[in-house]
Amino acid sequence: MSVLYIVGTPIGNLGDITYRAVETFKSVDYIACEDTRHTLQLLNHFEIKKPLISCRAQNEKLAGEKIVKILQEGHSVAYASDAGTPGISDPGAVLVDAVREAGFDVVPIPGPAAFATLTSVAGSGGKTLIFEGFLSPKPGKRRSRLKELMATGDAVIIYESPFRIVKLLTDIADINKDRRIVVGREMTKLHEEILSGTAEELRENYASRPSIKGEFAVFISGVKKIQISEESADN
């Protein structure tokens, strides 16, 4: 049956892969992936051998056309990004649109996502959580967007690289020094680290280190919004 499966894969610990994800990889005719070398390591671990198709951000449109042709020939395809769930700060959305537009089913195979992993241990997520992913590397745009996000009063999740984490925490502290921050580094991996505190406290922590390694997810707590009734407003 010609189906495209969107498969969530571990963000670090291979033990987090689901049985369904492994069975899907075993059952399909082709596996498309963001980085064939990276996904090959995952497949080798589970002793899965399938033809691989490169489908990364730089060639996703062309790769999508190739995958549509494969589906038209009656084959099934699974797609995996390097880590986590495709389409969430990862390639995948362009491929999904192309395949669905061609008339084929797209089936999600749920898996890990860094923002959900951090949120589960952050506490006080509130009713609304804004997932922004990576901000612009340009200081002005980064700070401007950060102000907009924090002005909503809702909790926010942001991804950041080790090269800009101190700058991000500095910006957060300058905008609102009282918001509680939870930072997840190398989550699910051997050197996983989850720290909580104010942006200034965490900035000083990371700024004092001789080097910073690993990818980051940053949880910015929300603030309680005071709702004023019409009656109290009139008073």
CSV table of all heavy atoms in Angstrom, one decimal, residues 158-190:
chain,number,residue,atom,x,y,z
A,158,ILE,N,11.7,27.6,23.6
A,158,ILE,CA,12.6,28.1,22.5
A,158,ILE,C,13.8,27.1,22.4
A,158,ILE,O,14.2,26.6,23.4
A,158,ILE,CB,13.2,29.5,22.8
A,158,ILE,CG1,12.0,30.5,22.8
A,158,ILE,CG2,14.3,29.9,21.9
A,158,ILE,CD1,12.4,31.9,23.3
A,159,TYR,N,14.2,26.8,21.2
A,159,TYR,CA,15.4,26.0,21.0
A,159,TYR,C,16.6,27.0,20.8
A,159,TYR,O,16.4,28.1,20.2
A,159,TYR,CB,15.3,25.1,19.8
A,159,TYR,CG,14.3,24.0,19.9
A,159,TYR,CD1,13.9,23.3,18.8
A,159,TYR,CD2,13.8,23.6,21.1
A,159,TYR,CE1,13.0,22.2,18.9
A,159,TYR,CE2,13.0,22.5,21.3
A,159,TYR,CZ,12.5,21.9,20.1
A,159,TYR,OH,11.7,20.8,20.2
A,160,GLU,N,17.8,26.6,21.3
A,160,GLU,CA,19.0,27.4,21.1
A,160,GLU,C,20.2,26.6,21.0
A,160,GLU,O,20.3,25.5,21.5
A,160,GLU,CB,19.1,28.4,22.2
A,160,GLU,CG,20.1,29.5,22.0
A,160,GLU,CD,19.9,30.3,20.7
A,160,GLU,OE1,20.4,29.8,19.7
A,160,GLU,OE2,19.2,31.3,20.7
A,161,SER,N,21.2,27.1,20.3
A,161,SER,CA,22.5,26.5,20.2
A,161,SER,C,23.4,26.8,21.3
A,161,SER,O,23.2,27.8,22.0
A,161,SER,CB,23.1,26.9,18.8
A,161,SER,OG,23.7,28.2,19.0
A,162,PRO,N,24.5,26.0,21.5
A,162,PRO,CA,25.4,26.3,22.6
A,162,PRO,C,26.2,27.6,22.4
A,162,PRO,O,26.7,28.2,23.3
A,162,PRO,CB,26.4,25.1,22.6
A,162,PRO,CG,26.3,24.6,21.2
A,162,PRO,CD,24.8,24.8,20.8
A,163,PHE,N,26.2,28.1,21.1
A,163,PHE,CA,26.9,29.3,20.8
A,163,PHE,C,26.1,30.6,21.2
A,163,PHE,O,26.7,31.7,21.3
A,163,PHE,CB,27.2,29.4,19.3
A,163,PHE,CG,27.9,28.1,18.8
A,163,PHE,CD1,27.1,27.2,18.0
A,163,PHE,CD2,29.2,27.8,19.2
A,163,PHE,CE1,27.7,26.0,17.6
A,163,PHE,CE2,29.7,26.6,18.7
A,163,PHE,CZ,29.0,25.7,18.0
A,164,ARG,N,24.8,30.5,21.3
A,164,ARG,CA,24.0,31.7,21.6
A,164,ARG,C,23.2,31.6,22.9
A,164,ARG,O,22.4,32.5,23.2
A,164,ARG,CB,23.1,32.0,20.4
A,164,ARG,CG,23.8,32.5,19.2
A,164,ARG,CD,22.8,32.9,18.1
A,164,ARG,NE,22.0,31.9,17.6
A,164,ARG,CZ,22.3,31.0,16.6
A,164,ARG,NH1,23.5,31.2,16.0
A,164,ARG,NH2,21.5,30.1,16.2
A,165,ILE,N,23.4,30.5,23.7
A,165,ILE,CA,22.5,30.3,24.9
A,165,ILE,C,22.7,31.5,25.9
A,165,ILE,O,21.8,31.9,26.5
A,165,ILE,CB,22.8,28.9,25.5
A,165,ILE,CG1,21.8,28.7,26.7
A,165,ILE,CG2,24.2,28.8,25.9
A,165,ILE,CD1,20.4,28.7,26.3
A,166,VAL,N,24.0,31.9,26.1
A,166,VAL,CA,24.2,33.0,27.0
A,166,VAL,C,23.6,34.3,26.5
A,166,VAL,O,23.0,35.0,27.3
A,166,VAL,CB,25.8,33.2,27.2
A,166,VAL,CG1,26.0,34.4,28.1
A,166,VAL,CG2,26.4,31.9,27.9
A,167,LYS,N,23.7,34.5,25.3
A,167,LYS,CA,23.0,35.8,24.7
A,167,LYS,C,21.5,35.7,24.9
A,167,LYS,O,20.9,36.7,25.2
A,167,LYS,CB,23.4,35.9,23.2
A,167,LYS,CG,24.9,36.1,23.0
A,167,LYS,CD,25.2,36.2,21.5
A,167,LYS,CE,26.7,36.4,21.2
A,167,LYS,NZ,27.0,36.4,19.8
A,168,LEU,N,20.9,34.5,24.7
A,168,LEU,CA,19.5,34.4,24.8
A,168,LEU,C,19.1,34.6,26.3
A,168,LEU,O,18.1,35.4,26.5
A,168,LEU,CB,19.0,33.0,24.4
A,168,LEU,CG,17.6,32.6,24.7
A,168,LEU,CD1,16.7,33.5,23.8
A,168,LEU,CD2,17.3,31.2,24.4
A,169,LEU,N,19.8,34.0,27.2
A,169,LEU,CA,19.5,34.2,28.6
A,169,LEU,C,19.7,35.7,29.1
A,169,LEU,O,18.9,36.2,29.9
A,169,LEU,CB,20.3,33.3,29.5
A,169,LEU,CG,20.0,31.8,29.3
A,169,LEU,CD1,21.1,31.0,30.0
A,169,LEU,CD2,18.6,31.5,29.9
A,170,THR,N,20.7,36.4,28.5
A,170,THR,CA,20.9,37.8,28.8
A,170,THR,C,19.7,38.6,28.3
A,170,THR,O,19.2,39.5,29.0
A,170,THR,CB,22.1,38.3,28.1
A,170,THR,OG1,23.3,37.6,28.6
A,170,THR,CG2,22.4,39.8,28.3
A,171,ASP,N,19.2,38.3,27.1
A,171,ASP,CA,18.0,39.0,26.5
A,171,ASP,C,16.8,38.8,27.4
A,171,ASP,O,16.0,39.7,27.7
A,171,ASP,CB,17.7,38.6,25.1
A,171,ASP,CG,18.7,39.1,24.1
A,171,ASP,OD1,19.4,40.0,24.4
A,171,ASP,OD2,18.8,38.5,23.0
A,172,ILE,N,16.6,37.6,27.8
A,172,ILE,CA,15.4,37.2,28.7
A,172,ILE,C,15.5,38.0,30.0
A,172,ILE,O,14.5,38.6,30.4
A,172,ILE,CB,15.3,35.7,29.0
A,172,ILE,CG1,15.1,34.9,27.7
A,172,ILE,CG2,14.2,35.4,30.0
A,172,ILE,CD1,15.2,33.4,27.8
A,173,ALA,N,16.7,38.0,30.6
A,173,ALA,CA,16.8,38.8,31.9
A,173,ALA,C,16.6,40.3,31.7
A,173,ALA,O,16.0,40.9,32.6
A,173,ALA,CB,18.2,38.5,32.4
A,174,ASP,N,17.0,40.8,30.6
A,174,ASP,CA,16.8,42.2,30.3
A,174,ASP,C,15.3,42.6,30.1
A,174,ASP,O,14.9,43.6,30.5
A,174,ASP,CB,17.6,42.7,29.1
A,174,ASP,CG,19.1,42.7,29.3
A,174,ASP,OD1,19.5,42.7,30.5
A,174,ASP,OD2,19.9,42.7,28.4
A,175,ILE,N,14.6,41.6,29.5
A,175,ILE,CA,13.2,41.9,29.2
A,175,ILE,C,12.3,41.7,30.5
A,175,ILE,O,11.4,42.5,30.8
A,175,ILE,CB,12.7,41.0,28.1
A,175,ILE,CG1,13.4,41.3,26.8
A,175,ILE,CG2,11.2,41.1,27.9
A,175,ILE,CD1,13.2,40.3,25.7
A,176,ASN,N,12.6,40.6,31.2
A,176,ASN,CA,11.8,40.4,32.4
A,176,ASN,C,12.7,39.5,33.3
A,176,ASN,O,12.7,38.3,33.1
A,176,ASN,CB,10.5,39.7,32.1
A,176,ASN,CG,9.6,39.6,33.4
A,176,ASN,OD1,10.1,39.5,34.5
A,176,ASN,ND2,8.3,39.6,33.2
A,177,LYS,N,13.3,40.1,34.3
A,177,LYS,CA,14.2,39.3,35.2
A,177,LYS,C,13.5,38.4,36.2
A,177,LYS,O,14.1,37.5,36.8
A,177,LYS,CB,15.0,40.3,36.0
A,177,LYS,CG,14.3,41.2,37.0
A,177,LYS,CD,15.2,42.1,37.7
A,177,LYS,CE,14.4,42.9,38.8
A,177,LYS,NZ,15.3,43.8,39.5
A,178,ASP,N,12.1,38.5,36.3
A,178,ASP,CA,11.4,37.7,37.3
A,178,ASP,C,10.8,36.4,36.7
A,178,ASP,O,10.4,35.6,37.5
A,178,ASP,CB,10.3,38.5,37.9
A,178,ASP,CG,10.8,39.8,38.6
A,178,ASP,OD1,11.8,39.6,39.3
A,178,ASP,OD2,10.1,40.8,38.5
A,179,ARG,N,10.9,36.2,35.4
A,179,ARG,CA,10.3,35.0,34.9
A,179,ARG,C,11.2,33.8,35.2
A,179,ARG,O,12.4,33.8,35.1
A,179,ARG,CB,10.1,35.1,33.4
A,179,ARG,CG,9.2,36.2,32.9
A,179,ARG,CD,7.8,35.9,33.0
A,179,ARG,NE,7.3,35.1,31.9
A,179,ARG,CZ,6.8,35.6,30.7
A,179,ARG,NH1,6.7,36.9,30.6
A,179,ARG,NH2,6.4,34.8,29.8
A,180,ARG,N,10.5,32.7,35.6
A,180,ARG,CA,11.3,31.5,35.9
A,180,ARG,C,11.6,30.8,34.6
A,180,ARG,O,10.8,30.6,33.7
A,180,ARG,CB,10.4,30.5,36.8
A,180,ARG,CG,11.2,29.3,37.4
A,180,ARG,CD,10.3,28.5,38.3
A,180,ARG,NE,9.2,27.9,37.6
A,180,ARG,CZ,9.4,26.7,37.0
A,180,ARG,NH1,10.5,26.0,37.0
A,180,ARG,NH2,8.3,26.2,36.3
A,181,ILE,N,12.9,30.3,34.6
A,181,ILE,CA,13.4,29.7,33.4
A,181,ILE,C,13.8,28.2,33.7
A,181,ILE,O,14.4,28.0,34.7
A,181,ILE,CB,14.6,30.4,32.8
A,181,ILE,CG1,14.3,31.9,32.7
A,181,ILE,CG2,15.1,29.8,31.5
A,181,ILE,CD1,13.2,32.3,31.8
A,182,VAL,N,13.5,27.3,32.8
A,182,VAL,CA,14.0,25.9,32.9
A,182,VAL,C,14.8,25.6,31.6
A,182,VAL,O,14.2,25.8,30.5
A,182,VAL,CB,12.9,24.9,33.1
A,182,VAL,CG1,13.5,23.5,33.3
A,182,VAL,CG2,12.1,25.2,34.3
A,183,VAL,N,16.0,25.2,31.7
A,183,VAL,CA,16.9,24.9,30.6
A,183,VAL,C,17.2,23.5,30.5
A,183,VAL,O,17.7,22.9,31.5
A,183,VAL,CB,18.2,25.8,30.6
A,183,VAL,CG1,19.1,25.3,29.5
A,183,VAL,CG2,17.9,27.3,30.5
A,184,GLY,N,17.0,22.8,29.4
A,184,GLY,CA,17.3,21.4,29.2
A,184,GLY,C,18.5,21.4,28.2
A,184,GLY,O,18.4,21.9,27.1
A,185,ARG,N,19.5,20.7,28.6
A,185,ARG,CA,20.7,20.6,27.7
A,185,ARG,C,21.0,19.1,27.5
A,185,ARG,O,21.0,18.3,28.5
A,185,ARG,CB,21.9,21.3,28.3
A,185,ARG,CG,23.2,21.2,27.4
A,185,ARG,CD,24.4,21.9,28.1
A,185,ARG,NE,24.8,21.2,29.2
A,185,ARG,CZ,25.7,20.1,29.2
A,185,ARG,NH1,26.2,19.7,28.0
A,185,ARG,NH2,26.0,19.5,30.3
A,186,GLU,N,21.2,18.7,26.3
A,186,GLU,CA,21.5,17.3,26.0
A,186,GLU,C,20.5,16.3,26.5
A,186,GLU,O,20.8,15.3,27.1
A,186,GLU,CB,22.9,16.9,26.5
A,186,GLU,CG,24.1,17.6,25.8
A,186,GLU,CD,24.3,17.0,24.4
A,186,GLU,OE1,23.6,17.5,23.5
A,186,GLU,OE2,25.2,16.1,24.3
A,187,MET,N,19.2,16.7,26.4
A,187,MET,CA,18.2,15.9,27.0
A,187,MET,C,18.1,14.4,26.5
A,187,MET,O,18.3,14.2,25.3
A,187,MET,CB,16.8,16.6,26.8
A,187,MET,CG,16.7,17.8,27.7
A,187,MET,SD,15.0,18.5,27.6
A,187,MET,CE,14.9,18.9,25.8
A,188,THR,N,17.9,13.5,27.4
A,188,THR,CA,17.9,12.1,27.2
A,188,THR,C,19.3,11.4,27.0
A,188,THR,O,19.4,10.2,26.9
A,188,THR,CB,16.9,11.6,26.1
A,188,THR,OG1,17.5,11.8,24.8
A,188,THR,CG2,15.6,12.3,26.2
A,189,LYS,N,20.3,12.3,26.8
A,189,LYS,CA,21.6,11.8,26.5
A,189,LYS,C,22.4,11.5,27.8
A,189,LYS,O,22.0,11.8,28.9
A,189,LYS,CB,22.4,12.7,25.6
A,189,LYS,CG,21.7,12.9,24.2
A,189,LYS,CD,22.4,13.9,23.4
A,189,LYS,CE,21.6,14.2,22.1
A,189,LYS,NZ,22.3,15.2,21.2
A,190,LEU,N,23.6,11.0,27.7
A,190,LEU,CA,24.5,10.7,28.8
A,190,LEU,C,24.7,11.8,29.7
A,190,LEU,O,24.7,11.7,31.0
A,190,LEU,CB,25.8,10.1,28.3
A,190,LEU,CG,26.8,9.7,29.4
A,190,LEU,CD1,26.2,8.5,30.2
A,190,LEU,CD2,28.1,9.2,28.8
